[in-house]
Amino acid sequence: MAPTLFFIGLGNMGRGMAANIVEKANLDQPLLIYNRTKQRCIELSEKLPAGKTEIVDSIAEGVSKADIILNILSNDAVVEASIAEILKNDVKGKLVIECSTIHPDTTEKIAQQVEDAGAQFVAAPVFGAPAMADAGQLVGVLAGPKASVDRARPYFKGVTAKAEINMSDEPYRKALTLKLIGNSFVINMVEQLAEGHVLAEKSGLGTDYLHQWIEGMFPGPYAAYSTRMLTGDYYKREYPLFAVDLARKDAGHAMSLAKEAGVRLHNVETADAHLAELKAHVGEKGDIAGIYGAVRMENGLPYENK
């Protein structure tokens, strides 16, 4: 009999991951799902075949029925609170897979708590935008004891992910260190695109020619973010794909890691300053692509590229 899975967190990334587990994983029981806002559970269940999911009303209810628990939440404090709720129950022999982007120190802390309670733990952050989560095209990074990682792997490559970076028997913190360094690449990419498009506009070149070059040279995330900027998606959308507060959280963690290692991340510092300007201008609905608007304002252009 296949293990029963419990999925906590149906945000932009979690919804797609949970759907792919239902559709592609070898489950013989409904996927248990929980989200602080229950409506997200209802909406996901309605999109999937009947009987493939079971909405639980509490973390305790889900944990009591599950063999494997997957957690993907917004920040360190929320993750710690979720783990605390999980550990109020008997978890002996269960596996906790933590997919959230948090500080490596937080990961080590909660891993120890989980292990002390008699459960297994895998640090498994994922790379990719929400569209990649929906398509099952994420990149998973799995760290922890090999036996625990092997138990988690069936839910990554070929299910939620197109590839995995296997860190079996490595410290949990290494997975999150890679995740934060990798996310600094994304932050820097958005900053460079924003600066490039503002320069193209103000120099008279025009953004269209630069966008064509980006599509030819850097297809994929670069082209996608360039399109989001030039179409005005960064200010038109109701809900952010990569919220400003989460981007600043990741930037802050990356800069913290760098400081501990005696390294300075000048590019991330610049992007973080623009994220702060973005937050001040539009509030928590700001999306990381709104760095473009912040760079525009800094250089005498309006926030919106109408």
Side-chain angles (χ1 to χ4, degrees):
M1 179 181 291
T4 299
L5 270 63
F6 175 31
F7 199 101
I8 303 172
L10 299 179
N12 286 341
M13 301 295 288
R15 286 193 297 272
M17 292 178 69
N20 277 293
I21 288 172
V22 166
E23 293 168 359
K24 302 174 187 175
N26 181 30
L27 303 184
D28 53 20
Q29 298 291 326
L31 176 68
L32 306 170
I33 55 174
Y34 173 81
N35 193 76
R36 186 169 50 185
T37 304
K38 188 175 182 179
Q39 183 60 30
R40 290 188 177 181
C41 293
I42 295 170
E43 291 170 358
L44 179 63
S45 290
E46 289 175 345
K47 291 179 181 178
L48 295 170
K52 293 294 186 179
T53 59
E54 179 184 337
I55 299 171
V56 297
D57 292 322
S58 68
I59 288 177
E61 181 185 353
V63 172
S64 70
K65 297 178 178 181
D67 303 300
I68 297 175
I69 303 151
L70 293 98
N71 209 37
I72 182 162
L73 300 168
S74 59
N75 60 51
D76 298 51
V78 176
V79 169
E80 290 196 66
S82 177
I83 294 294
E85 286 297 314
I86 290 169
L87 297 182
K88 288 179 180 178
N89 308 274
D90 182 7
V91 295
K92 289 182 177 65
K94 299 180 189 288
L95 170 65
V96 176
I97 304 173
E98 182 53 68
C99 299
S100 312
T101 302
I102 52 180
H103 195 283
D105 292 348
T106 306
T107 300
E108 293 288 350
K109 176 183 176 181
I110 62 174
Q112 189 63 59
Q113 293 171 344
V114 169
E115 291 175 341
D116 287 347
Q120 293 177 302
F121 184 88
V122 171
V126 291
F127 285 103
M132 294 173 70
D134 292 342
Q137 294 293 298
L138 300 171
V139 175
V141 185
L142 284 69
K146 185 177 185 302
S148 303
V149 171
D150 287 347
R151 198 174 168 191
R153 290 183 67 196
Y155 310 106
F156 288 86
K157 188 174 181 180
V159 179
T160 59
K162 65 179 179 181
E164 66 183 26
I165 298 172
N166 190 330
M167 293 185 173
S168 290
D169 291 330
E170 292 279 11
Y172 299 117
R173 67 181 303 109
K174 281 197 174 183
L176 277 301
T177 299
L178 176 58
K179 172 60 173 170
L180 292 171
I181 294 174
N183 273 18
S184 77
F185 278 53
V186 176
I187 293 167
N188 292 338
M189 171 188 70
V190 175
E191 176 67 28
Q192 184 59 64
L193 285 167
E195 293 180 10
H197 278 310
V198 169
L199 176 57
E201 180 173 344
K202 295 204 70 172
S203 68
L205 170 66
T207 56
D208 181 62
Y209 289 127
L210 180 59
H211 181 67
Q212 290 182 48
W213 176 80
I214 291 165
E215 288 185 312
M217 290 293 294
F218 304 111
Y222 271 88
Y225 268 104
S226 179
T227 297
R228 292 189 60 210
M229 291 176 185
L230 298 186
T231 60
D233 177 81
Y234 68 95
Y235 68 85
K236 293 177 181 177
R237 67 170 39 255
E238 185 176 359
Y239 300 107
L241 289 178
F242 190 170
V244 60
D245 287 340
L246 300 186
R248 292 208 71 198
K249 177 258 296 180
D250 291 357
H253 284 342
M255 289 187 289
S256 171
L257 280 178
K259 184 177 180 180
E260 291 172 10
V263 176
R264 186 171 179 185
L265 301 179
H266 291 275
N267 291 347
V268 177
E269 290 176 10
T270 299
D272 185 56
H274 286 138
L275 286 167
E277 293 173 16
L278 170 64
K279 177 67 179 289
H281 188 69
V282 299
E284 63 183 17
K285 72 176 184 178
D287 183 279
I288 189 174
I291 285 177
Y292 179 42
V295 175
R296 288 174 61 83
M297 291 191 298
E298 185 177 72
N299 289 281
L301 297 172
Y303 174 76
E304 298 177 357
N305 66 335
K306 294 180 178 179

